[in-house]
């Protein structure tokens, strides 16, 4: 089974409307996304389901699959995974969840009448009983925004590509990371197969600067990025900040596909909001990546988020709840009191 197509304006807007009816989710939960003038507007949930953590066992597979199914059926239409999460098992779980969830590819093609029970609201006419139950279409592929990542490669894939003469051992950084076009092609093909998808809505180059920048040096690193973008721009559907954006423009023109980055943002990791970077490159690890994106115009100092905004590059936050840790750290006994007060005031 291969689920065809990708997220569309019609599908994602229908999803937002249906989840509002089914679960009372406010419209503000869904943000509009359209970074390229020629592409439609998508309606995506403020939070999405991630698939990073967990041991490589069957119990975790069941938990991840169930979590994806629950989140998608309760208002989250963003799914994020990666080729190396749990050695590929995360993508397999996403595929299993999609097989169960999806009725088809386009919401206009598959319509199933399912009553949704809603409580009657006090006021004129309330004595007549509950409102008529609305109908909702099934969940379809065009309602979901699905992203994965390429870069970290499994040893068996590396061995096969080297044996076939498609890559050289030197193309693989640290024996584990490769953005050579042949690696990207093989990784993406494997990811699509695992998830039973025809295409993804967003493809990240996974931790590329963190792994390769310092070892290669700026000049060689940018050559590898250029080669990767050249491959990815063959299909504008695969979306991978000053120098990097310029490379994307040189390869793909004004409508290039380098439109998103992903970095950790939560109440415990505020660097994307607070850190102003004066130098764009040649520092360590995550800081290197942030600084490489932080100077859209020569001589300007700004945060990663400001740089992304000025360059028209979208930002997805990874770990917004600190991989669950924030839920326990920033909740307590007073939360229930606050909820009672809100309800008591008619909120």
């Amino acid at each position: 089974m291969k689920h065809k197509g990708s997220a569309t304006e019609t599908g994602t807007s229908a999803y937002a409307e249906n989840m509002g009816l089914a679960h009372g989710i406010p419209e503000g939960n869904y943000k509009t996304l359209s970074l390229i003038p020629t592409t439609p507007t998508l309606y995506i949930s403020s939070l999405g389901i991630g698939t990073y953590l967990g041991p490589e066992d069957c119990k975790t597979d069941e938990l991840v699959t169930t979590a994806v199914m629950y989140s998608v059926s309760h208002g989250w239409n963003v799914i994020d995974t990666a080729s190396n999460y749990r050695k590929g098992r995360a993508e397999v779980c996403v595929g299993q969840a999609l097989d169960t969830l999806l009725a088809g590819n386009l919401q206009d093609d598959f319509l199933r009448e399912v009553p949704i029970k809603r409580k009657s609201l006090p006021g004129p006419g309330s004595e007549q009983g509950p409102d008529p139950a609305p109908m909702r279409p099934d969940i379809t592929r065009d309602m979901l925004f699905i992203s994965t990542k390429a870069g970290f490669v499994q040893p068996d894939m590396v061995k096969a590509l080297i044996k076939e003469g498609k890559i050289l051992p030197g193309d693989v950084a640290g024996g584990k990371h490769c953005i050579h076009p042949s690696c990207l092609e093989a990784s993406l093909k494997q990811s699509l197969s695992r998830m039973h998808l025809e295409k993804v809505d967003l493809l990240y180059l996974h931790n590329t600067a963190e792994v390769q920048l310092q070892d290669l040096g700026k000049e060689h690193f940018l050559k590898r990025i250029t080669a990767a973008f050249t491959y990815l721009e063959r299909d504008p559907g695969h979306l991978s900040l000053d120098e990097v954006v310029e490379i994307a423009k040189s390869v793909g023109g004004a409508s290039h596909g380098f439109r998103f980055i992903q970095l950790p943002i939560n109440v415990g990791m505020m660097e994307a909001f607070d850190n102003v970077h004066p130098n764009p490159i040649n520092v360590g690890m995550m800081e290197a990546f942030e600084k490489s994106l932080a100077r859209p115009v020569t001589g300007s100092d700004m945060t990663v988020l400001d740089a992304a905004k000025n360059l028209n590059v979208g930002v997805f936050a990874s770990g917004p709840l600190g991989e669950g840790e924030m839920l326990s750290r920033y909740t307590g006994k007073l939360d229930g009191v606050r909820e009672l007060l809100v309800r008591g005031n008619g909120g």
Side-chain angles (χ1 to χ4, degrees):
M1 178 189 298
K2 182 168 285 191
H3 307 292
K4 296 182 178 181
S6 57
T8 67
E9 182 171 357
T10 300
T12 56
S13 62
Y15 179 90
E17 181 180 0
N18 298 335
M19 290 299 158
L21 292 172
H23 303 293
I25 299 173
E27 292 182 4
N29 178 66
Y30 298 94
K31 310 300 181 183
T32 56
L33 179 68
S34 182
L35 291 175
I36 307 175
T38 57
T39 60
T41 298
L42 302 179
Y43 297 81
I44 64 173
S45 53
S46 299
L47 291 175
I49 179 70
T51 58
Y52 173 46
L53 295 179
E56 299 152 23
D57 56 34
C58 294
K59 180 179 180 181
T60 305
D61 290 344
E62 293 179 4
L63 293 172
V64 172
T65 302
T66 302
V68 173
M69 292 172 58
Y70 185 88
S71 63
V72 170
S73 61
H74 286 75
W76 292 5
N77 67 340
V78 176
I79 303 173
D80 181 69
T81 188
S83 61
N84 66 318
Y85 286 176
R86 300 177 53 243
K87 293 186 177 179
R89 297 177 76 130
E91 289 184 328
V92 172
C93 291
V94 171
Q96 291 173 343
L98 294 176
D99 288 350
T100 303
L101 283 166
L102 300 186
N105 301 318
L106 300 174
Q107 69 93 19
D108 287 339
D109 295 339
F110 291 81
L111 183 64
R112 177 166 61 106
E113 296 186 348
V114 178
I116 302 173
K117 297 181 180 179
R118 292 194 300 174
K119 297 180 180 178
S120 59
L121 301 175
S126 60
E127 67 278 3
Q128 298 177 2
D131 296 337
M135 303 299 167
R136 70 163 177 84
D138 285 323
I139 295 171
T140 49
R141 170 64 183 96
D142 63 341
M143 295 180 172
L144 306 181
F145 189 92
I146 304 172
S147 63
T148 191
K149 309 173 186 71
F152 289 103
V153 288
Q154 299 298 320
D156 56 345
M157 179 182 290
V158 171
K159 290 179 182 178
L161 292 174
I162 292 176
K163 184 177 181 179
E164 295 169 7
K166 294 183 176 181
I167 65 171
L168 298 173
D171 293 321
V172 186
K176 63 180 180 180
H177 196 280
C178 181
I179 58 170
H180 186 283
S182 293
C183 273
L184 294 177
E185 182 176 25
S187 179
L188 179 58
K189 186 178 298 185
Q190 184 180 65
S191 294
L192 294 175
S193 176
R194 289 168 175 168
M195 293 187 285
H196 308 155
L197 292 174
E198 178 187 47
K199 62 176 68 176
V200 291
D201 300 287
L202 173 59
L203 177 68
Y204 293 101
L205 296 183
H206 197 181
N207 290 3
T208 303
E210 294 92 325
V211 178
Q212 298 201 24
L213 177 57
Q214 283 190 313
D215 290 341
L216 294 176
K218 176 181 174 181
E219 183 178 357
H220 193 184
F221 174 76
L222 292 179
K223 286 181 180 179
R224 285 195 175 181
I225 286 289
T226 302
F229 279 18
T230 300
Y231 163 71
L232 294 172
E233 288 293 346
R234 296 187 311 170
D235 183 352
H238 297 135
L239 304 175
S240 334
L241 258 219
D242 187 86
E243 289 174 308
V244 179
V245 170
E246 288 304 317
I247 291 173
K249 289 180 179 178
S250 70
V251 173
S255 297
H256 63 85
F258 179 53
R259 297 294 172 176
F260 296 91
I261 59 173
Q262 184 181 117
L263 62 157
I265 303 176
N266 56 56
V267 295
M269 301 181 71
M270 301 291 288
E271 293 85 356
F273 288 97
D274 299 335
N275 289 5
V276 174
H277 303 295
N279 300 311
I281 302 247
N282 293 331
V283 285
M285 298 303 285
M286 183 61 200
E287 192 178 25
F289 180 61
E290 290 185 356
K291 291 194 176 184
S292 70
L293 307 180
R295 195 180 224 187
V297 180
T298 301
S300 64
D301 300 339
M302 58 185 66
T303 66
V304 175
L305 296 182
D306 289 335
K309 181 178 180 180
N310 287 354
L311 290 167
N312 202 29
V313 172
V315 178
F316 276 87
S318 63
L321 302 179
E323 299 172 349
E325 183 180 350
M326 301 301 172
L327 294 175
S328 58
R329 182 184 297 182
Y330 295 98
T331 56
K333 295 181 179 179
L334 292 180
D335 290 349
V337 175
R338 180 183 178 277
E339 183 177 350
L340 289 173
L341 288 174
V342 169
R343 290 183 177 179
N345 291 329

